[in-house]
Amino acid sequence: MGSDIAGRTITLVLATSTGGVGTHVSGVVPYLARAGARVQVAGPQATEDLFSFTGAGARFAPLQILAGPRPAEDLAAARKLRLITANTDVIHAHGLRAAMVAVAANAGRP
């Protein structure tokens, strides 16, 4: 797998997490970084503070994804995520809320 992702930019997207998803993402980050990927995590600052994705080898982009649907806030998050992922090769969303924002952010993008 390492040669397939070496040199690629991978953005991992997640909403607020205090457990499983945050733990999973923090475990994946070092593996991807060792394989040669440029890793970025986009999610709430509180989640970065709890899991330290930057300490595991990722860049961090603060992105507020709320726990429940709020159309105006979701649209704002999608717009911001589109900018954050402008130069990303792979976007991997973790969880339903993060996936919804990621899909909205990348609608129409090749």
Side-chain angles (χ1 to χ4, degrees), residues 20-50:
V21 171
T23 300
H24 170 70
V25 171
S26 67
V28 169
V29 166
Y31 175 78
L32 294 172
R34 281 192 308 271
R38 292 180 299 274
V39 185
Q40 174 175 246
V41 174
Q45 184 63 51
T47 305
E48 159 63 15
D49 294 344
L50 184 60

Side-chain angles (χ1 to χ4, degrees), residues 4 10 12 22 32 44 57 60 65 70-72 87 89 95 99 104 109:
D4 294 341
I10 298 173
L12 307 173
L32 294 172
F60 181 76
I65 300 175
R70 292 240 176 92
N87 297 311
D89 298 302
R109 187 179 276 177

